[in-house]
Amino acid sequence: MKENWQVVLAGEGGQGLVVAGILLGEAAVMDGKNAAQTASYGIASRGGLTQSEVVISDGDIAYPAVEDPDIVLALSRGALDKYYGKVSEECIIIYDSSLIPGDFKGKRVFGLPLSDKVEGLKKEKGLRVALNVLSLGALSGRTGVVSLNALEEAIKKQFKRGFETNRESLKAGFDMARSSCYFCSQ
Amino acid sequence: MTDYRDYLREELFPQMWCSGCSHGISLGSIARAMAALNLERHKTVVSTGIGCWGKADDYFRTHVFHGTHGRALSFATGIKVAKPELTVLALMGDGDGVTIGGNHFIHSARRNLDMTAIITNNFNYGMTGGQYSASSPEGSITTTSKYGTMEEGFDICSLAIASGATFVARVNPYHVTQMDKLIAEAIAHKGFSVVEILSNCPTYFARYNQKASAVEMMKYFKERSLSRKKYDALPEEEKENYFLTGKLHQVVKDDFHKKYKDLQKRARETAEEVS
Amino acid sequence: MGKVKFLQGNHACVEGAVAAGARFYAGYPITPSSEVAQAASDKLPPLGGYYVQMEDEIASMAAIVGSSLSGLKSFTATSGPGLSLMQENLGMAIMGEVPCVIIDVARGGPSTGLATKQAQGDVMQTRWGTHGDHTIIVVTPASVQECFDLTVRAFNLSEKYRTPVIVLTDKTIGHLREKVDVRDPSEIEIIDRKRPTCPPGDYKPYRADADGIPPLAAYGDKHLLRINSSMHGEEGFINQSPQNATALSKRLYDKIENNVADIGRIKTFQTEDAEIVIISFGISARSAFRSAALARQAGIKAGAIQLQTLWPFPRPQVQEALGNSCRRLLVAEMNMGQLALEVERVFTDMEVYRVNKWSGEDLLPREILDRLKEVSE
C-alpha cells in the first residue's frame, strides 16, 4: 500500500468539490493518517474551474499541496483536459463518463457514469443524492485511499441532516467503482 | 452626596485651556453630574481623543484613556463591552466626534451601547489653529476658510437621533444648571446617550465670526438658546440664528448588553445541543 | 485532554486564541481572513465572551485595545489592506503598552491588488507599518498546528511583554486544512499579564519593574489606570521632555529587542552540515524544507530554516543553527524581496541569494530547487 497519496478533485464551481476535499481529508484523519487539503477557485462561488487538493500520508506532510497527482477525480471536461495525458501513467484518473463523452484511453483511466447514477437514484428512490458524495464513494471503491467507514463518519460529522441519503449515495458510488477496482485487480 | 471635587485633580489647575474658553465649565459640570450620581471613581472610565477637549482626561481622578484622534468611542466600545458594570464617558470635540470620528459616532449610536458621548462643539479645530470642521456652519470664517466655508455643517443632535442614539440633549455653557442636570440624566440613561455642549473658542472661532469677547459669547449663548416650544414658534427663516437646546430625544430600548446576554444564552444552548 | 481535529488554519487560530484565554474579538470582515471572524463569532459567545463586528479596522483595533484594558484577552484578524487601517491604533497599543493579538492573513497587494490570491508582502508592513520608532513581535506559522500553537504563543508573548503581537499567516495557510491537536488549556503554558501588587494609591501604570515591563491594572480595579498614547511619564500624564522621550522610547524598544533569546524561535531542517541554507517563513518554508530534501537527492548539501518568529529577527537562533560549512543563504519568499533585506543586513559575511514569486501563486518546491541548483553551480 502506498504511503503517500496526492489527490486532485476537479470540476466546476457548485459541484461541492471543496466540501468533498474536506470530507476526504477528514476521513483520512479518521483512518489514523495525516491529511492536508487546499482549494483553488475563481472569484465567484459558482461556475468556473474549481479544484480541491488533498495530500494523505502515513507520515508527516512536508509540502501540503499536490505536486504530482496520484489520483484525479474529474467532473467536467475542463478538469479532465487539465490532467488527461499530462500526468504520470501511474496516476489514476476517474472521470464522469455521463458528463464527458469521448474515448479516453489509459491503463488507469476509468470513466464511470457518476451523474447518470445520481439521476437514477433520484428517480428510483426519490433521494436527494449529491454528485460529490457519490463520487467520493467511487473514489474510495476504486483506490482504497480512504475507507468507506471513515467517509461515513466524516459525513456524519459534516452534515447534521440527511445522513441516510448521503450514506446510500456513498455506498452506491463505492459499489459502482468496486466492479473494476484498481486494488482488487492487483 | 459626594463632593464633585473628589472626581477632579485640582492640583493640576489652572486648566490648560485659553482664558474665556468654556471647556472648564463643561469639566465642572461633568464632575458635578458624577457626584450627583454618586459614581464610584474606580468604576468610571473617561475616554478622550485629540484636541483641546482631548486634554480633559488629565483632570479626572477616575480611570482614564487618552488615545488617537477621533477614536475615543471605539476604544470606549471595547472598554464597556468587556466590562459592562463600568460607567463609560467619551469626551470629544466636533473634530473628534463627528468629523474624523463620524463613522464611529453613527455606528456607536446604532449599537446603543450603554455609554455617554459628550461632544463640546466649538465649530472649529482649536488645537491645530482654528480650521473649519464638519460642524462649522456654512459661511464660517476660519484659518482654512478665509472666504467663508461653502459646505454645510452637521447638526450633531439630528445626526445622533437619526443614527439611533436613545438619549440626545443640547446644552450651552451659560445655562450651567441645565447642563449639570442633563449630563447626569444622560449618564443615568440606559443606552447610548449624547450631550452636545455648544462651546466658544475665544481664540479662533468666536474672534473670527461673532467678533465677541468671552463675556459677550456667554450673552450670545444665553440669548440664542431656546427651548423646543420657543424654537418651534420662530419663523422658519429665523431658526438658523438660534440653538434648540434641552433634552431633544429619549426612547426606552434594550441596550447592547441586554441583547448580548440573550445572544450568549442562545449560543450556549446551541453549543450544548451540538456536543 | 485535547482533541484531534481537521481544521482550516483560520479556525485553528481561533482555537488557539480561545485556549490561551481570549474572550473578546472585534473585527471587520476581509478575504482571506473572514473565517477567523466567523469562528470567533461562533466560539466566543457560548463561553461568555464577545464578538463585536465593528464599522472598520480602525475601530476594530481600538476596540480590542479597550477590551484588553478592561481585562479580557482580546484579538482581531484582517488582511493587508485592513492591517494598513489598523496601523494607527497598533501604534497606540505599542505606545500605551496594551497586550492584544492581531492575526494578519496576507494576500496580494498593494491596495486591493490580488484580493483572493496568495502573497507574503506584509513582511515590512508588520515591522514598520505604524509610524515612529518602535519595535514589534511577529510570529509566523507554517502549518495548521502552528496556527494553533503560535497563536497561543502570541498571546503569551503579548501578555508577558505588555505589547501587541501579530500572527502573520497567508491565504494558503489560512485556508489550508490539516490535522491539528487542539490542546486543552490544561496541557499548555498560559501566561497572564503582570498585575500590580502595590497599594492602589501607589500605583503608576507606566512604572516598569527591573525587567522593563510595568504591571497592568484593569479598568474597574481600585488601582486607577491612566493609559496614554502620547509620550508620557510613569503616571500616564503627557511628558514631552527630551529626557523622558529618550528614556521611554528606549525602554519600549529594549523590553523586546533585549529578549530575542526568549522571543525568537526557528525550526531547522538538515542545517548541521549544509553548505547552503534556505531561510523562509510561512507556507514558503514548507516548500523550502521539501526542496532541501530534493536537493540532497540531487547531491546538493542544502538545509532550511523556518522563522517561527519573524520580528524581532531571530538572529542568535539562526546564527547558532548555521553550521561552520554554510557559506551561502537563499531567502525564499512570495514578494519582491523583503525578508532578504534583513538577512543581507545581518549576515554580511555570507553570500545571500534570493528566490521570489509575486504572481499570486505559492512558491513551489521545484522552483526553490531550480534556484538552489542555479546558485550551486
Side-chain angles (χ1 to χ4, degrees):
Chain A
M1 178 87 190
K2 264 178 76 75
E3 286 179 354
N4 226 315
W5 291 92
Q6 301 187 32
V7 186
V8 174
L9 312 176
E12 282 171 5
Q15 286 179 323
L17 290 165
V18 176
V19 174
I22 295 168
L23 290 170
L24 185 60
E26 187 99 53
V29 170
M30 284 173 178
D31 276 337
K33 298 177 183 199
N34 269 314
Q37 182 265 343
T38 51
S40 60
Y41 34 88
I43 214 160
S45 297
R46 302 278 180 273
L49 186 71
T50 292
Q51 162 163 328
S52 188
E53 301 181 2
V54 186
V55 179
I56 297 168
S57 176
D58 288 340
D60 287 340
I61 297 171
Y63 185 67
V66 169
E67 294 172 271
D68 301 301
D70 301 298
I71 300 172
V72 173
L73 171 74
L75 295 185
S76 74
R77 180 73 205 221
L80 185 61
D81 285 347
K82 190 175 171 190
Y83 292 98
Y84 179 72
K86 296 172 184 97
V87 288
S88 106
E89 282 202 349
E90 297 303 307
C91 176
I92 304 167
I93 297 181
I94 300 168
Y95 70 95
D96 186 348
S97 58
S98 33
L99 286 179
I100 315 162
D103 192 16
F104 301 96
K105 290 192 169 52
K107 66 170 179 169
R108 296 192 178 183
V109 180
F110 305 100
L112 296 173
L114 299 167
S115 294
D116 286 351
K117 188 73 188 171
V118 167
E119 290 309 313
L121 281 172
K122 276 185 188 165
K123 276 198 192 121
E124 193 185 313
K125 300 192 177 177
L127 296 175
R128 292 169 56 88
V129 180
L131 177 64
N132 61 345
V133 173
L134 186 128
S135 303
L136 277 182
L139 191 91
S140 166
R142 187 59 57 99
T143 67
V145 62
V146 289
S147 70
L148 189 62
N149 271 347
L151 275 175
E152 279 185 13
E153 286 304 307
I155 284 173
K156 200 182 276 180
K157 218 172 126 184
Q158 184 80 17
F159 303 109
K160 306 282 172 261
R161 274 172 298 204
F163 172 65
E164 267 314 307
T165 303
N166 277 312
R167 205 184 58 83
E168 272 198 54
S169 317
L170 201 59
K171 187 74 170 49
F174 186 86
D175 289 343
M176 177 187 207
R178 202 69 181 171
S179 55
S180 53
C181 170
Y182 165 61
F183 282 103
C184 312
S185 63
Q186 289 295 294
Chain B
M1 201 172 98
T2 324
D3 187 346
Y4 80 94
R5 289 186 182 84
D6 291 350
Y7 297 91
L8 295 172
R9 293 185 183 269
E10 288 184 314
E11 68 275 20
L12 296 179
F13 288 0
Q15 299 147 16
M16 54 82 65
W17 298 302
C18 305
S19 60
C21 172
S22 56
H23 286 349
I25 296 168
S26 307
L27 180 75
S29 190
I30 294 168
R32 285 189 292 277
M34 286 173 169
L37 295 169
N38 226 347
L39 298 183
E40 288 186 272
R41 289 191 294 111
H42 72 283
K43 297 286 180 199
T44 306
V45 186
V46 172
S47 170
T48 62
I50 298 295
C52 298
W53 186 229
K55 288 288 289 172
D57 64 273
D58 275 6
Y59 305 119
F60 283 101
R61 200 180 292 283
T62 60
H63 285 286
V64 305
F65 181 93
H66 177 78
T68 46
H69 189 33
R71 322 298 175 206
L73 278 172
S74 312
F75 292 109
T77 296
I79 293 167
K80 177 68 183 185
V81 171
K83 209 171 252 179
E85 66 268 30
L86 297 173
T87 299
V88 179
L89 279 69
L91 311 188
M92 301 170 291
D94 42 308
D96 251 335
V98 297
T99 313
I100 190 171
N103 198 26
H104 312 310
F105 181 67
I106 59 175
H107 286 279
S108 297
R110 180 178 64 79
R111 245 173 238 126
N112 198 29
L113 196 59
D114 180 23
M115 56 187 191
T116 303
I118 297 177
I119 303 182
T120 55
N121 179 13
N122 62 7
F123 310 99
N124 77 154
Y125 294 102
M127 185 162 270
T128 48
Q131 300 83 8
Y132 67 88
S133 79
S135 76
S136 307
E138 188 177 349
S140 297
I141 307 298
T142 69
T143 56
T144 48
S145 59
K146 198 172 151 189
Y147 311 108
T149 53
M150 23 58 74
E151 297 172 17
E152 285 186 31
F154 268 138
D155 174 335
I156 295 173
C157 289
S158 298
L159 183 65
I161 295 166
S163 307
T166 48
F167 181 104
V168 179
R170 184 183 287 122
V171 296
N172 75 71
Y174 180 83
H175 295 112
V176 177
T177 315
Q178 184 190 42
M179 194 194 295
D180 290 6
K181 182 180 153 286
L182 286 176
I183 289 176
E185 223 181 297
I187 296 171
H189 171 81
K190 194 85 182 154
F192 189 72
S193 53
V194 178
V195 180
E196 177 190 356
I197 305 177
L198 301 169
S199 305
N200 71 329
C201 178
T203 306
Y204 297 110
F205 196 85
R207 185 155 62 92
Y208 294 141
N209 293 278
Q210 289 94 347
K211 299 192 173 19
S213 69
V215 175
E216 285 165 339
M217 280 304 294
M218 279 303 207
K219 282 187 191 152
Y220 171 83
F221 283 130
K222 179 193 171 195
E223 287 157 10
R224 299 294 176 105
S225 295
L226 298 179
S227 66
R228 166 80 69 190
K229 210 172 150 188
K230 285 180 183 162
Y231 184 83
D232 286 349
L234 286 175
E236 212 47 48
E237 67 276 13
E238 271 297 304
K239 283 185 177 168
E240 64 174 333
N241 299 321
Y242 289 87
F243 300 107
L244 170 62
T245 53
K247 183 160 80 183
L248 307 185
H249 178 74
Q250 185 170 23
V251 288
V252 179
K253 233 181 181 183
D254 286 347
D255 73 316
F256 179 93
H257 273 108
K258 166 81 178 57
K259 292 188 196 171
Y260 213 97
K261 263 188 201 134
D262 293 345
L263 183 150
Q264 286 171 329
K265 190 165 163 276
R266 287 200 304 277
R268 252 193 313 277
E269 285 162 5
T270 313
E272 275 162 23
E273 247 171 62
V274 172
S275 65
Chain C
M1 272 298 288
K3 277 188 192 160
V4 173
K5 295 185 177 180
F6 187 62
L7 292 181
Q8 259 192 353
N10 281 345
H11 283 190
C13 285
V14 175
E15 294 283 1
V18 167
R23 291 295 179 271
F24 186 97
Y25 178 101
Y28 187 86
I30 182 171
T31 302
S33 77
S34 298
E35 295 82 4
V36 180
Q38 290 163 5
S41 74
D42 183 35
K43 296 261 167 204
L44 293 174
L47 297 168
Y50 297 93
Y51 168 87
V52 190
Q53 200 158 296
M54 299 301 287
E55 52 274 19
D56 57 28
E57 287 87 348
I58 299 171
S60 303
M61 187 65 215
I64 67 165
V65 164
S67 58
S68 175
L69 292 168
S70 280
L72 292 188
K73 288 188 186 176
S74 304
F75 69 122
T76 187
T78 190
S79 188
L83 187 64
S84 296
L85 288 181
M86 288 181 183
Q87 294 294 352
E88 176 191 55
N89 292 326
L90 183 60
M92 192 285 140
I94 292 170
M95 192 58 151
E97 295 186 80
V98 185
C100 53
V101 170
I102 300 101
I103 296 160
D104 175 21
V105 188
R107 68 186 213 188
S111 187
T112 44
L114 292 167
T116 64
K117 305 228 171 194
Q118 170 68 330
Q120 293 181 311
D122 288 354
V123 173
M124 287 301 176
Q125 188 188 196
T126 56
R127 177 63 187 88
W128 290 113
T130 199
H131 67 279
D133 287 303
H134 66 275
T135 189
I136 192 157
I137 301 173
V138 179
V139 298
T140 37
S143 67
V144 177
Q145 185 65 54
E146 286 186 357
C147 282
F148 179 90
D149 294 340
L150 292 187
T151 301
V152 172
R153 184 165 159 76
F155 273 98
N156 284 345
L157 292 171
S158 173
E159 294 283 318
K160 183 172 181 180
Y161 292 102
R162 210 183 137 174
T163 195
V165 175
I166 296 174
V167 180
L168 175 60
T169 71
D170 55 64
K171 188 249 167 195
T172 297
I173 293 178
H175 289 169
L176 172 67
R177 279 170 203 268
E178 286 185 299
K179 188 161 102 171
V180 52
D181 182 2
V182 176
R183 298 184 230 279
D184 191 78
S186 64
E187 300 171 307
I188 50 183
E189 184 197 17
I190 292 172
I191 299 174
D192 293 322
R193 63 193 68 173
K194 239 177 3 183
R195 310 264 287 152
T197 51
C198 63
D202 296 346
Y203 178 59
K204 292 178 179 173
Y206 293 106
R207 181 168 55 198
D209 293 339
D211 60 3
I213 302 150
L216 183 60
Y219 289 134
D221 288 356
K222 293 258 162 142
H223 298 72
L224 292 183
L225 198 49
R226 175 170 289 278
I227 293 295
N228 199 333
S229 61
S230 297
M231 201 62 79
H232 48 263
E234 289 184 338
E235 294 189 18
F237 290 106
I238 289 184
N239 180 340
Q240 304 204 343
S241 78
Q243 295 78 2
N244 183 62
T246 306
L248 176 55
S249 294
K250 186 78 165 61
R251 178 173 70 73
L252 294 180
Y253 192 83
D254 285 350
K255 75 172 179 178
I256 291 169
E257 295 291 334
N258 288 352
N259 286 301
V260 179
D262 177 43
I263 297 165
R265 228 179 236 191
I266 61 169
K267 210 172 133 187
T268 61
F269 179 68
Q270 297 178 341
T271 49
E272 301 80 8
D273 63 338
E275 291 168 359
I276 180 161
V277 170
I278 312 162
I279 297 187
S280 194
F281 67 98
I283 193 70
S284 298
R286 301 279 289 265
S287 296
F289 279 38
R290 173 92 181 114
S291 64
L294 294 171
R296 291 269 172 168
Q297 289 168 18
I300 300 169
K301 278 193 161 180
I305 292 175
Q306 177 207 342
L307 306 180
Q308 289 178 313
T309 308
L310 184 63
W311 302 112
F313 184 77
R315 181 183 193 143
Q317 289 85 356
V318 174
Q319 258 161 349
E320 199 191 318
L322 298 176
N324 292 330
S325 48
C326 181
R327 286 289 165 270
R328 279 169 301 160
L329 300 173
L330 176 62
V331 185
E333 51 186 331
M334 282 178 280
N335 55 47
M336 297 178 88
Q338 297 189 19
L339 176 61
L341 297 173
E342 181 70 3
V343 174
E344 285 161 1
R345 188 184 73 81
V346 172
F347 296 99
T348 48
D349 54 340
M350 301 239 188
E351 289 172 49
V352 180
Y353 298 93
R354 301 174 176 200
V355 54
N356 304 97
K357 190 173 181 179
W358 55 88
S359 63
E361 306 155 299
D362 281 315
L363 184 55
L364 302 175
R366 62 178 161 74
E367 293 170 328
I368 302 179
L369 179 65
D370 288 348
R371 184 75 177 130
L372 273 175
K373 286 178 178 166
E374 210 174 277
V375 303
S376 299
E377 273 167 8

